[in-house]
Amino acid sequence: FYRLPTGRKNQVTWQSLQKEGEEAFVGFFQTKAQASPGYDRLPVAGLEKNARYTVETRPQGLRIKGFGALIH
């Protein structure tokens, strides 16, 4: 496992690299949402620099109760 810097305090990236270095599993985690933060960068390590890779994402859910009194 690698922990990779994201450049923002509220984000962290963890990566697991396949032994041959052809595939990686990368988790991008964010602790707090920000309004209009701009684009995110997904850092990776140990992969071929000039190769093409596919990035697959999964839907994210938000717990409405986490907003407390803001939601009526």
Side-chain angles (χ1 to χ4, degrees):
F1 272 107
Y2 298 95
R3 183 176 178 169
L4 306 170
T6 61
R8 296 188 185 165
K9 291 180 182 179
N10 67 326
Q11 297 173 343
V12 65
T13 301
W14 287 94
Q15 173 185 327
S16 177
L17 186 62
Q18 181 188 29
K19 205 173 198 178
E20 293 80 20
E22 295 175 1
E23 293 184 6
F25 178 82
V26 182
F28 177 81
F29 304 95
Q30 182 170 302
T31 57
K32 295 181 181 178
Q34 293 179 328
S36 302
Y39 292 105
D40 292 317
R41 296 191 75 142
L42 183 64
V44 292
L47 298 175
E48 281 189 45
K49 195 172 192 174
N50 296 321
R52 287 185 169 247
Y53 296 95
T54 302
V55 176
E56 296 177 17
T57 61
R58 293 189 178 198
Q60 170 184 319
L62 288 174
R63 287 183 30 237
I64 297 296
K65 288 183 179 181
F67 291 97
L70 296 174
I71 305 295
H72 293 287

